[in-house]
Amino acid sequence: MITGAFMVPHPPLIIPEVGRGKERKIQDTIDAYHEVGIKIGQLKPETIILISPHQVMYADYFHISPGRQAEGDFKQFGAYEVKMEVSYDTDFVENLCRMAETSGLQAGILGERDKQLDHGTLVPLYFINKYWKEYDLVRVGLSGLSLTAHYELGQLIGETAKMLGKNVVIIASGDLSHRLKEDGPYGYHREGAEYDRCIMEAMGSGDFGKLLEFSEDICEKAGECGHRSFTIMAGALDSTKVEAKQISYEGPFGVGYGICTYNTCGQDLNRNFKDQYEEKERKRIFKLRQLEDEYVRLARHAVEEYVRSGKKIKALEGISWEMYGSRAGVFVSIKKEGSLRGCMGTICASRPSIADEIIENAVSAASRDPRFSPIKAEELDMLAISVDVLGDAEKIDSLDKLDVKRYGVIVTKGYKRGLLLPNLEGVDTVKEQIAIAKRKAGIGEHENVQLERFEVVRHY
Protein backbone atom coordinates (compact mmCIF):
# COMPACT_ATOMS: atom_id res chain seq x y z
CA MET A 1 0.00 0.00 0.00
CA ILE A 2 1.02 3.62 -0.38
CA THR A 3 2.14 4.93 2.99
CA GLY A 4 3.29 8.39 1.97
CA ALA A 5 3.66 10.77 -0.96
CA PHE A 6 5.85 13.80 -1.56
CA MET A 7 5.86 16.73 -3.98
CA VAL A 8 9.44 17.94 -4.48
CA PRO A 9 11.46 20.12 -6.92
CA HIS A 10 14.68 19.10 -8.65
CA PRO A 11 17.10 22.06 -9.05
CA PRO A 12 20.61 20.60 -9.47
CA LEU A 13 21.90 23.76 -7.78
CA ILE A 14 20.57 22.39 -4.49
CA ILE A 15 23.30 19.73 -4.47
CA PRO A 16 26.25 21.31 -2.59
CA GLU A 17 28.81 19.90 -5.02
CA VAL A 18 26.90 21.63 -7.84
CA GLY A 19 25.81 24.82 -6.08
CA ARG A 20 29.20 25.49 -4.45
CA GLY A 21 27.64 27.91 -1.99
CA LYS A 22 24.84 29.28 -4.21
CA GLU A 23 22.50 26.67 -2.80
CA ARG A 24 22.32 28.66 0.43
CA LYS A 25 19.98 31.06 -1.36
CA ILE A 26 17.34 28.32 -1.27
CA GLN A 27 18.05 27.10 2.25
CA ASP A 28 14.34 26.68 3.03
CA THR A 29 14.09 24.16 0.20
CA ILE A 30 17.17 22.31 1.44
CA ASP A 31 15.78 22.15 4.99
CA ALA A 32 12.43 20.94 3.67
CA TYR A 33 14.17 18.26 1.60
CA HIS A 34 15.90 16.94 4.71
CA GLU A 35 12.51 16.81 6.43
CA VAL A 36 11.22 14.73 3.51
CA GLY A 37 14.23 12.43 3.77
CA ILE A 38 13.65 11.91 7.48
CA LYS A 39 9.95 11.08 6.91
CA ILE A 40 10.83 8.55 4.23
CA GLY A 41 13.46 7.04 6.51
CA GLN A 42 10.75 6.57 9.13
CA LEU A 43 8.35 5.00 6.61
CA LYS A 44 11.03 2.51 5.42
CA PRO A 45 9.45 1.86 2.00
CA GLU A 46 10.25 -1.30 0.07
CA THR A 47 9.53 0.50 -3.20
CA ILE A 48 9.77 4.15 -4.23
CA ILE A 49 7.79 5.29 -7.26
CA LEU A 50 9.57 8.33 -8.69
CA ILE A 51 7.77 10.35 -11.35
CA SER A 52 10.10 12.60 -13.33
CA PRO A 53 9.35 15.08 -16.14
CA HIS A 54 12.93 14.59 -17.39
CA GLN A 55 12.43 10.90 -18.12
CA VAL A 56 11.90 10.15 -21.81
CA MET A 57 8.53 11.59 -22.86
CA TYR A 58 6.23 10.57 -25.70
CA ALA A 59 3.09 12.26 -27.00
CA ASP A 60 0.77 9.30 -26.46
CA TYR A 61 2.67 6.85 -24.25
CA PHE A 62 3.95 6.70 -20.67
CA HIS A 63 7.47 5.30 -20.45
CA ILE A 64 8.38 3.20 -17.42
CA SER A 65 12.09 2.41 -17.07
CA PRO A 66 12.93 -1.23 -17.81
CA GLY A 67 15.73 -3.44 -16.56
CA ARG A 68 17.13 -4.33 -13.16
CA GLN A 69 19.29 -1.34 -12.34
CA ALA A 70 20.47 2.08 -13.52
CA GLU A 71 23.14 4.63 -12.69
CA GLY A 72 23.41 8.38 -12.84
CA ASP A 73 25.63 11.31 -11.92
CA PHE A 74 25.84 15.09 -11.94
CA LYS A 75 28.77 15.44 -14.32
CA GLN A 76 26.74 17.57 -16.75
CA PHE A 77 26.45 20.06 -13.87
CA GLY A 78 30.16 19.95 -13.06
CA ALA A 79 29.96 17.56 -10.08
CA TYR A 80 31.72 14.46 -11.44
CA GLU A 81 32.12 12.94 -7.99
CA VAL A 82 28.39 12.70 -7.15
CA LYS A 83 27.10 9.37 -8.48
CA MET A 84 24.43 6.87 -7.53
CA GLU A 85 23.08 3.50 -8.54
CA VAL A 86 19.57 2.11 -8.06
CA SER A 87 17.89 -1.27 -8.33
CA TYR A 88 14.53 -1.37 -10.09
CA ASP A 89 11.49 -3.17 -8.71
CA THR A 90 10.95 -5.44 -11.71
CA ASP A 91 7.96 -7.18 -10.09
CA PHE A 92 6.14 -3.86 -9.62
CA VAL A 93 6.96 -2.72 -13.16
CA GLU A 94 5.76 -5.98 -14.68
CA ASN A 95 2.44 -5.86 -12.83
CA LEU A 96 1.92 -2.15 -13.53
CA CYS A 97 2.49 -2.70 -17.25
CA ARG A 98 0.06 -5.62 -17.23
CA MET A 99 -2.61 -3.47 -15.56
CA ALA A 100 -2.03 -0.68 -18.09
CA GLU A 101 -2.47 -3.10 -20.99
CA THR A 102 -5.68 -4.49 -19.49
CA SER A 103 -7.10 -1.00 -18.94
CA GLY A 104 -6.13 0.24 -22.41
CA LEU A 105 -3.81 2.95 -21.09
CA GLN A 106 -0.74 3.43 -23.28
CA ALA A 107 2.10 2.76 -20.82
CA GLY A 108 5.00 0.34 -20.69
CA ILE A 109 8.74 -0.27 -20.92
CA LEU A 110 9.17 0.32 -24.66
CA GLY A 111 11.12 3.23 -26.09
CA GLU A 112 14.07 3.47 -23.68
CA ARG A 113 16.44 6.12 -25.06
CA ASP A 114 18.82 6.77 -22.20
CA LYS A 115 19.27 4.37 -19.29
CA GLN A 116 21.06 7.02 -17.25
CA LEU A 117 19.10 8.50 -14.36
CA ASP A 118 17.90 12.03 -15.14
CA HIS A 119 18.29 14.97 -12.75
CA GLY A 120 14.58 14.92 -11.97
CA THR A 121 15.30 11.54 -10.38
CA LEU A 122 18.79 12.16 -9.03
CA VAL A 123 18.03 15.28 -6.99
CA PRO A 124 15.28 13.69 -4.83
CA LEU A 125 17.29 10.49 -4.39
CA TYR A 126 20.33 12.48 -3.24
CA PHE A 127 18.41 13.55 -0.14
CA ILE A 128 16.41 10.36 0.35
CA ASN A 129 19.56 8.24 0.32
CA LYS A 130 20.92 10.12 3.32
CA TYR A 131 18.12 8.62 5.42
CA TRP A 132 17.01 5.42 3.66
CA LYS A 133 18.60 3.19 1.03
CA GLU A 134 16.82 -0.14 1.39
CA TYR A 135 14.37 0.36 -1.46
CA ASP A 136 13.85 -0.60 -5.09
CA LEU A 137 12.89 2.09 -7.56
CA VAL A 138 10.17 2.40 -10.19
CA ARG A 139 10.90 5.33 -12.52
CA VAL A 140 7.92 6.73 -14.42
CA GLY A 141 7.83 9.39 -17.14
CA LEU A 142 5.14 11.76 -18.37
CA SER A 143 3.34 11.98 -21.71
CA GLY A 144 1.48 14.41 -23.93
CA LEU A 145 -1.80 12.72 -23.02
CA SER A 146 -4.52 14.46 -21.03
CA LEU A 147 -4.33 15.24 -17.34
CA THR A 148 -7.00 12.62 -16.67
CA ALA A 149 -4.81 10.02 -18.41
CA HIS A 150 -2.00 10.95 -16.00
CA TYR A 151 -4.43 10.58 -13.12
CA GLU A 152 -5.44 7.15 -14.49
CA LEU A 153 -1.81 6.04 -14.53
CA GLY A 154 -1.60 7.07 -10.89
CA GLN A 155 -4.69 5.01 -10.12
CA LEU A 156 -3.01 1.98 -11.69
CA ILE A 157 0.09 2.61 -9.57
CA GLY A 158 -2.10 2.69 -6.46
CA GLU A 159 -3.87 -0.53 -7.48
CA THR A 160 -0.55 -2.25 -8.16
CA ALA A 161 0.81 -1.26 -4.76
CA LYS A 162 -2.33 -2.58 -3.09
CA MET A 163 -2.28 -5.84 -5.04
CA LEU A 164 1.38 -6.55 -4.24
CA GLY A 165 0.98 -5.59 -0.60
CA LYS A 166 4.22 -3.62 -0.59
CA ASN A 167 5.12 -0.59 1.49
CA VAL A 168 5.28 2.06 -1.24
CA VAL A 169 6.19 5.75 -1.23
CA ILE A 170 5.55 8.07 -4.18
CA ILE A 171 7.77 10.99 -5.16
CA ALA A 172 6.34 13.52 -7.63
CA SER A 173 9.37 15.41 -8.93
CA GLY A 174 8.74 18.75 -10.60
CA ASP A 175 9.55 22.44 -10.48
CA LEU A 176 6.80 25.03 -10.65
CA SER A 177 6.83 28.09 -12.92
CA HIS A 178 10.13 28.89 -14.66
CA ARG A 179 8.98 32.43 -15.47
CA LEU A 180 8.89 34.31 -12.21
CA LYS A 181 11.55 36.98 -12.86
CA GLU A 182 12.79 39.02 -15.79
CA ASP A 183 16.39 38.13 -14.93
CA GLY A 184 15.56 34.44 -14.42
CA PRO A 185 16.68 31.77 -16.90
CA TYR A 186 13.35 31.86 -18.80
CA GLY A 187 12.24 35.45 -18.30
CA TYR A 188 8.98 36.69 -16.79
CA HIS A 189 5.37 35.90 -17.56
CA ARG A 190 2.55 37.16 -15.38
CA GLU A 191 0.93 33.70 -15.39
CA GLY A 192 4.00 32.33 -13.60
CA ALA A 193 3.29 33.75 -10.15
CA GLU A 194 -0.44 33.08 -10.55
CA TYR A 195 0.24 29.43 -11.40
CA ASP A 196 2.52 28.99 -8.39
CA ARG A 197 -0.01 30.58 -6.06
CA CYS A 198 -2.81 28.33 -7.29
CA ILE A 199 -0.77 25.14 -7.36
CA MET A 200 0.61 25.62 -3.87
CA GLU A 201 -2.89 26.36 -2.59
CA ALA A 202 -4.18 23.12 -4.16
CA MET A 203 -1.24 20.93 -3.22
CA GLY A 204 -0.79 22.43 0.23
CA SER A 205 -4.40 21.59 1.10
CA GLY A 206 -4.52 18.24 -0.70
CA ASP A 207 -7.30 19.46 -3.01
CA PHE A 208 -6.10 17.37 -5.94
CA GLY A 209 -9.28 17.90 -7.96
CA LYS A 210 -8.03 21.37 -8.87
CA LEU A 211 -5.08 19.84 -10.73
CA LEU A 212 -7.45 18.63 -13.43
CA GLU A 213 -8.98 22.08 -13.89
CA PHE A 214 -5.80 23.96 -14.87
CA SER A 215 -5.92 25.05 -18.49
CA GLU A 216 -3.24 24.00 -20.94
CA ASP A 217 -2.73 27.70 -21.67
CA ILE A 218 -1.80 28.77 -18.13
CA CYS A 219 0.49 25.74 -17.67
CA GLU A 220 2.32 26.58 -20.89
CA LYS A 221 2.65 30.28 -20.16
CA ALA A 222 3.82 29.58 -16.61
CA GLY A 223 6.52 27.28 -17.97
CA GLU A 224 5.96 24.63 -15.29
CA CYS A 225 7.42 21.14 -15.50
CA GLY A 226 5.79 19.32 -12.57
CA HIS A 227 2.03 19.53 -13.08
CA ARG A 228 1.69 16.12 -14.71
CA SER A 229 3.96 14.53 -12.10
CA PHE A 230 1.71 15.88 -9.36
CA THR A 231 -1.37 14.62 -11.22
CA ILE A 232 -0.02 11.06 -11.42
CA MET A 233 0.69 11.19 -7.68
CA ALA A 234 -2.85 12.46 -7.07
CA GLY A 235 -4.24 9.51 -9.03
CA ALA A 236 -2.22 7.09 -6.92
CA LEU A 237 -3.94 8.60 -3.87
CA ASP A 238 -7.42 8.39 -5.41
CA SER A 239 -10.15 7.75 -2.79
CA THR A 240 -7.51 7.98 -0.06
CA LYS A 241 -7.70 10.28 2.95
CA VAL A 242 -4.48 12.25 3.33
CA GLU A 243 -2.92 14.65 5.79
CA ALA A 244 -1.42 17.34 3.57
CA LYS A 245 1.32 19.71 4.67
CA GLN A 246 3.12 22.46 2.80
CA ILE A 247 6.69 22.59 4.06
CA SER A 248 8.25 25.23 1.83
CA TYR A 249 7.94 27.42 -1.23
CA GLU A 250 10.48 29.82 -2.71
CA GLY A 251 11.66 31.08 -6.08
CA PRO A 252 14.67 33.39 -5.77
CA PHE A 253 16.17 32.34 -9.13
CA GLY A 254 12.98 32.87 -11.14
CA VAL A 255 11.87 29.23 -10.81
CA GLY A 256 9.31 28.10 -8.23
CA TYR A 257 10.27 25.31 -5.82
CA GLY A 258 7.52 23.80 -3.65
CA ILE A 259 7.61 20.91 -1.20
CA CYS A 260 4.52 19.23 0.26
CA THR A 261 4.03 15.95 2.12
CA TYR A 262 1.07 13.60 2.32
CA ASN A 263 0.46 11.00 5.00
CA THR A 264 -2.17 8.43 4.06
CA CYS A 265 -4.98 7.87 6.58
CA GLY A 266 -7.27 5.19 5.18
CA GLN A 267 -10.06 5.36 2.63
CA ASP A 268 -12.15 8.37 1.65
CA LEU A 269 -14.48 7.63 -1.27
CA ASN A 270 -15.30 11.33 -1.63
CA ARG A 271 -11.78 11.95 -2.92
CA ASN A 272 -12.46 10.35 -6.31
CA PHE A 273 -11.38 13.50 -8.12
CA LYS A 274 -11.22 12.15 -11.67
CA ASP A 275 -14.78 10.80 -11.51
CA GLN A 276 -16.03 14.12 -10.14
CA TYR A 277 -14.17 16.12 -12.78
CA GLU A 278 -15.43 13.97 -15.66
CA GLU A 279 -19.02 14.22 -14.43
CA LYS A 280 -18.68 18.02 -14.37
CA GLU A 281 -17.24 17.97 -17.89
CA ARG A 282 -20.09 15.82 -19.20
CA LYS A 283 -22.61 18.26 -17.78
CA ARG A 284 -20.73 21.20 -19.31
CA ILE A 285 -20.59 19.53 -22.73
CA PHE A 286 -24.28 18.62 -22.50
CA LYS A 287 -25.13 22.30 -21.97
CA LEU A 288 -22.90 23.31 -24.89
CA ARG A 289 -24.67 20.83 -27.15
CA GLN A 290 -27.98 22.51 -26.49
CA LEU A 291 -26.57 25.77 -27.89
CA GLU A 292 -24.72 24.41 -30.94
CA ASP A 293 -25.69 25.82 -34.32
CA GLU A 294 -26.26 23.70 -37.44
CA TYR A 295 -22.58 23.84 -38.48
CA VAL A 296 -21.39 22.29 -35.24
CA ARG A 297 -24.31 19.86 -35.04
CA LEU A 298 -23.35 18.56 -38.48
CA ALA A 299 -19.69 18.23 -37.49
CA ARG A 300 -20.60 16.42 -34.26
CA HIS A 301 -22.94 14.04 -36.06
CA ALA A 302 -20.18 13.26 -38.58
CA VAL A 303 -17.67 12.58 -35.80
CA GLU A 304 -20.02 10.41 -33.76
CA GLU A 305 -21.18 8.30 -36.69
CA TYR A 306 -17.66 7.73 -38.00
CA VAL A 307 -16.24 6.84 -34.56
CA ARG A 308 -19.08 4.41 -33.85
CA SER A 309 -19.50 2.78 -37.27
CA GLY A 310 -16.58 3.81 -39.44
CA LYS A 311 -19.00 5.34 -41.95
CA LYS A 312 -19.25 8.88 -43.27
CA ILE A 313 -22.63 10.54 -43.16
CA LYS A 314 -24.13 12.38 -46.11
CA ALA A 315 -25.24 15.99 -45.83
CA LEU A 316 -28.45 16.00 -43.81
CA GLU A 317 -31.81 17.17 -45.08
CA GLY A 318 -33.01 20.49 -43.79
CA ILE A 319 -29.63 22.22 -43.67
CA SER A 320 -29.49 25.84 -44.74
CA TRP A 321 -28.77 27.05 -48.27
CA GLU A 322 -25.66 28.78 -46.93
CA MET A 323 -24.17 25.38 -46.00
CA TYR A 324 -25.43 23.47 -49.01
CA GLY A 325 -25.13 26.09 -51.73
CA SER A 326 -21.81 27.74 -50.80
CA ARG A 327 -18.20 26.59 -50.88
CA ALA A 328 -15.31 27.60 -48.59
CA GLY A 329 -12.33 26.28 -46.71
CA VAL A 330 -13.31 24.85 -43.32
CA PHE A 331 -11.48 23.83 -40.16
CA VAL A 332 -13.04 21.53 -37.57
CA SER A 333 -11.48 21.67 -34.08
CA ILE A 334 -12.17 19.12 -31.36
CA LYS A 335 -11.24 19.65 -27.71
CA LYS A 336 -11.40 17.36 -24.73
CA GLU A 337 -11.03 18.67 -21.18
CA GLY A 338 -9.97 22.04 -22.57
CA SER A 339 -7.08 20.60 -24.61
CA LEU A 340 -6.93 20.07 -28.35
CA ARG A 341 -7.91 16.53 -29.35
CA GLY A 342 -7.91 16.97 -33.12
CA CYS A 343 -8.00 19.73 -35.74
CA MET A 344 -8.03 19.36 -39.51
CA GLY A 345 -9.13 21.62 -42.30
CA THR A 346 -8.77 23.02 -45.78
CA ILE A 347 -7.47 26.46 -46.73
CA CYS A 348 -9.63 26.55 -49.85
CA ALA A 349 -12.81 24.72 -50.79
CA SER A 350 -12.20 21.16 -51.96
CA ARG A 351 -15.75 19.76 -51.75
CA PRO A 352 -19.05 20.60 -53.49
CA SER A 353 -20.39 22.49 -50.46
CA ILE A 354 -19.57 23.81 -47.01
CA ALA A 355 -21.63 20.95 -45.59
CA ASP A 356 -19.48 18.35 -47.39
CA GLU A 357 -16.35 20.22 -46.32
CA ILE A 358 -17.48 20.06 -42.68
CA ILE A 359 -18.21 16.33 -42.86
CA GLU A 360 -14.86 15.48 -44.45
CA ASN A 361 -12.82 17.61 -42.06
CA ALA A 362 -14.75 16.49 -39.00
CA VAL A 363 -13.92 12.87 -39.83
CA SER A 364 -10.27 13.80 -40.46
CA ALA A 365 -10.01 15.71 -37.16
CA ALA A 366 -11.42 12.71 -35.28
CA SER A 367 -9.32 10.05 -36.97
CA ARG A 368 -6.41 11.40 -39.04
CA ASP A 369 -4.75 14.20 -37.12
CA PRO A 370 -1.17 12.85 -36.90
CA ARG A 371 -0.65 14.52 -33.51
CA PHE A 372 -3.28 12.41 -31.78
CA SER A 373 -4.63 8.89 -31.66
CA PRO A 374 -8.10 8.39 -33.19
CA ILE A 375 -10.99 9.36 -30.96
CA LYS A 376 -12.72 6.46 -29.20
CA ALA A 377 -16.43 5.98 -28.64
CA GLU A 378 -16.12 6.43 -24.88
CA GLU A 379 -14.77 9.96 -25.42
CA LEU A 380 -17.71 11.27 -27.45
CA ASP A 381 -19.68 12.78 -24.57
CA MET A 382 -16.58 14.72 -23.44
CA LEU A 383 -15.89 16.57 -26.71
CA ALA A 384 -16.33 20.26 -27.47
CA ILE A 385 -16.40 21.01 -31.21
CA SER A 386 -16.06 24.23 -33.19
CA VAL A 387 -16.20 24.94 -36.92
CA ASP A 388 -14.31 27.76 -38.64
CA VAL A 389 -15.45 28.81 -42.11
CA LEU A 390 -12.62 30.66 -43.84
CA GLY A 391 -12.95 33.80 -45.89
CA ASP A 392 -10.80 34.48 -48.96
CA ALA A 393 -7.07 34.80 -48.31
CA GLU A 394 -5.49 38.21 -48.99
CA LYS A 395 -1.76 38.76 -49.56
CA ILE A 396 -0.17 41.34 -47.24
CA ASP A 397 3.26 42.96 -47.07
CA SER A 398 3.37 44.11 -43.45
CA LEU A 399 2.87 42.64 -39.96
CA ASP A 400 0.89 45.78 -39.17
CA LYS A 401 -1.93 44.35 -41.27
CA LEU A 402 -2.32 41.36 -38.96
CA ASP A 403 -4.36 41.07 -35.77
CA VAL A 404 -4.27 37.77 -33.85
CA LYS A 405 -7.86 38.17 -32.71
CA ARG A 406 -9.36 39.08 -36.10
CA TYR A 407 -7.16 37.49 -38.77
CA GLY A 408 -5.75 34.06 -39.35
CA VAL A 409 -2.39 33.88 -41.11
CA ILE A 410 -0.95 31.79 -43.94
CA VAL A 411 2.83 31.61 -44.40
CA THR A 412 4.40 30.33 -47.63
CA LYS A 413 8.00 29.49 -48.52
CA GLY A 414 8.35 27.66 -51.81
CA TYR A 415 6.18 24.55 -51.63
CA LYS A 416 5.83 24.82 -47.83
CA ARG A 417 2.65 26.39 -46.54
CA GLY A 418 1.35 26.75 -42.99
CA LEU A 419 -1.82 28.20 -41.50
CA LEU A 420 -2.91 29.34 -38.07
CA LEU A 421 -6.46 30.30 -37.19
CA PRO A 422 -7.23 33.58 -35.41
CA ASN A 423 -8.31 34.12 -31.81
CA LEU A 424 -6.66 31.03 -30.36
CA GLU A 425 -6.13 30.57 -26.63
CA GLY A 426 -2.48 31.13 -25.73
CA VAL A 427 -1.57 33.02 -28.93
CA ASP A 428 -1.34 36.68 -27.91
CA THR A 429 0.94 38.36 -30.47
CA VAL A 430 1.40 38.43 -34.23
CA LYS A 431 4.98 37.19 -33.81
CA GLU A 432 3.74 34.14 -31.91
CA GLN A 433 1.10 33.52 -34.56
CA ILE A 434 3.61 33.61 -37.41
CA ALA A 435 6.17 31.50 -35.50
CA ILE A 436 3.62 28.75 -34.89
CA ALA A 437 2.45 28.82 -38.52
CA LYS A 438 6.08 28.50 -39.65
CA ARG A 439 6.70 25.54 -37.36
CA LYS A 440 3.61 23.79 -38.68
CA ALA A 441 4.90 24.24 -42.22
CA GLY A 442 8.45 23.17 -41.41
CA ILE A 443 9.77 26.65 -42.25
CA GLY A 444 12.77 27.96 -40.34
CA GLU A 445 12.18 30.59 -37.67
CA HIS A 446 14.26 33.25 -39.43
CA GLU A 447 13.27 32.48 -43.04
CA ASN A 448 11.36 35.13 -44.96
CA VAL A 449 7.86 34.11 -46.02
CA GLN A 450 4.96 35.36 -48.09
CA LEU A 451 2.16 36.38 -45.74
CA GLU A 452 -1.57 36.11 -46.31
CA ARG A 453 -4.40 36.93 -43.95
CA PHE A 454 -7.98 35.75 -43.79
CA GLU A 455 -11.00 36.16 -41.61
CA VAL A 456 -13.18 33.37 -40.28
CA VAL A 457 -16.69 32.88 -39.03
CA ARG A 458 -16.41 30.65 -35.97
CA HIS A 459 -19.31 28.41 -35.05
CA TYR A 460 -19.69 26.80 -31.63
Side-chain angles (χ1 to χ4, degrees):
M1 63 175 292
I2 296 170
T3 55
F6 303 86
M7 163 191 165
V8 297
H10 49 244
L13 185 73
I14 206 171
I15 307 303
E17 293 86 347
V18 175
R20 303 182 188 279
K22 293 181 181 178
E23 73 277 5
R24 288 193 287 270
K25 292 184 179 179
I26 47 174
Q27 190 62 47
D28 286 352
T29 301
I30 293 172
D31 294 342
Y33 242 125
H34 283 292
E35 186 172 336
V36 167
I38 291 169
K39 286 180 180 289
I40 292 174
Q42 293 169 343
L43 291 171
K44 296 181 169 54
E46 300 166 80
T47 301
I48 291 179
I49 313 293
L50 204 149
I51 308 154
S52 171
H54 297 288
Q55 230 300 24
V56 61
M57 181 174 173
Y58 293 99
D60 57 357
Y61 180 80
F62 293 101
H63 179 70
I64 303 165
S65 292
R68 296 188 174 277
Q69 64 84 37
E71 301 172 348
D73 56 52
F74 287 93
K75 65 182 180 183
Q76 71 179 104
F77 303 104
Y80 291 82
E81 68 276 23
V82 185
K83 305 175 182 179
M84 62 185 72
E85 182 177 330
V86 298
S87 296
Y88 285 139
D89 187 335
T90 56
D91 186 33
F92 197 104
V93 170
E94 181 181 336
N95 281 278
L96 176 58
C97 291
R98 189 179 299 120
M99 279 197 176
E101 184 177 3
T102 300
S103 71
L105 188 68
Q106 297 298 307
I109 59 174
L110 301 177
E112 178 88 314
R113 290 180 183 169
D114 186 357
K115 191 176 179 181
Q116 289 286 308
L117 299 176
D118 61 280
H119 75 272
T121 300
L122 289 167
V123 172
L125 293 185
Y126 177 90
F127 290 93
I128 292 168
N129 288 349
K130 292 181 180 297
Y131 301 94
W132 182 247
K133 293 184 178 180
E134 304 303 314
Y135 63 86
D136 289 327
L137 188 70
V138 175
R139 189 163 66 119
V140 178
L142 311 180
S143 79
L145 294 170
S146 67
L147 289 176
T148 52
H150 286 74
Y151 195 98
E152 287 171 19
L153 178 59
Q155 289 177 298
L156 296 179
I157 289 170
E159 291 172 20
T160 303
K162 191 178 297 183
M163 181 188 71
L164 295 177
K166 290 186 173 182
N167 178 0
V168 175
V169 158
I170 294 188
I171 309 293
S173 176
D175 297 337
L176 307 186
S177 173
H178 289 60
R179 295 171 179 163
L180 298 178
K181 298 175 69 175
E182 289 286 0
D183 60 351
Y186 301 93
Y188 172 79
H189 216 300
R190 60 184 176 82
E191 280 82 1
E194 176 64 12
Y195 173 84
D196 281 14
R197 183 188 66 78
C198 293
I199 199 71
M200 291 306 297
E201 181 180 287
M203 299 305 288
S205 64
D207 188 0
F208 299 145
K210 290 181 178 176
L211 286 168
L212 301 174
E213 297 175 359
F214 278 73
S215 72
E216 189 176 88
D217 181 42
I218 190 172
C219 287
E220 183 176 340
K221 287 182 176 178
E224 55 75 31
C225 78
H227 198 98
R228 286 171 169 77
S229 292
F230 310 150
T231 305
I232 293 174
M233 181 188 72
L237 299 174
D238 183 70
S239 297
T240 300
K241 184 178 181 181
V242 299
E243 291 178 352
K245 180 183 178 183
Q246 176 180 323
I247 304 181
S248 70
Y249 171 79
E250 53 187 345
F253 304 119
V255 180
Y257 306 130
I259 295 184
C260 297
T261 66
Y262 307 93
N263 295 326
T264 57
C265 314
Q267 193 177 56
D268 184 347
L269 297 180
N270 292 319
R271 291 178 62 82
N272 58 333
F273 296 112
K274 174 177 167 287
D275 292 344
Q276 294 175 29
Y277 172 74
E278 289 185 336
E279 182 59 26
K280 267 198 292 189
E281 274 294 289
R282 288 189 184 94
K283 289 179 179 178
R284 184 179 72 85
I285 298 300
F286 180 79
K287 289 181 180 178
L288 285 179
R289 292 183 72 144
Q290 311 312 304
L291 302 173
E292 290 173 349
D293 67 13
E294 62 175 345
Y295 290 77
V296 179
R297 286 198 301 272
L298 179 61
R300 185 179 291 279
H301 183 49
V303 168
E304 291 180 343
E305 182 62 33
Y306 189 81
V307 169
R308 289 185 174 125
S309 70
K311 297 178 180 178
K312 289 183 188 176
I313 65 170
K314 294 183 178 179
L316 302 176
E317 293 183 6
I319 62 175
S320 68
W321 172 252
E322 181 184 4
M323 291 177 68
Y324 193 70
S326 304
R327 302 179 71 227
V330 168
F331 271 75
V332 176
S333 301
I334 305 173
K335 287 190 173 184
K336 179 184 176 184
E337 301 168 24
S339 297
L340 191 65
R341 186 64 180 83
C343 179
M344 296 290 278
T346 42
I347 296 175
C348 303
S350 63
R351 302 281 161 177
S353 70
I354 288 176
D356 290 307
E357 207 84 37
I358 289 173
I359 292 169
E360 184 65 28
N361 293 333
V363 168
S364 294
S367 61
R368 301 186 196 121
D369 189 327
R371 297 167 293 180
F372 306 99
S373 59
I375 288 171
K376 299 177 182 177
E378 56 266 29
E379 298 179 82
L380 292 175
D381 59 355
M382 299 282 283
L383 303 179
I385 298 176
S386 63
V387 175
D388 288 305
V389 179
L390 279 60
D392 293 334
E394 171 191 6
K395 288 185 178 182
I396 57 172
D397 55 12
S398 169
L399 299 185
D400 295 336
K401 295 180 180 179
L402 287 173
D403 180 329
V404 293
K405 298 299 181 184
R406 179 179 177 183
Y407 296 112
V409 66
I410 300 170
V411 297
T412 305
K413 179 73 173 181
Y415 65 89
K416 295 180 180 179
R417 203 175 192 202
L419 174 149
L420 197 69
L421 297 169
N423 198 22
L424 296 179
E425 186 178 31
V427 182
D428 299 322
T429 68
V430 167
K431 287 185 178 180
E432 288 177 322
Q433 188 183 40
I434 292 173
I436 295 170
K438 282 183 173 181
R439 285 201 298 272
K440 290 176 70 175
I443 299 171
E445 180 183 356
H446 301 294
E447 291 189 68
N448 293 323
V449 292
Q450 170 64 58
L451 294 173
E452 297 172 84
R453 72 181 186 183
F454 60 91
E455 294 185 271
V456 306
V457 178
R458 181 161 294 164
H459 299 267
Y460 295 96

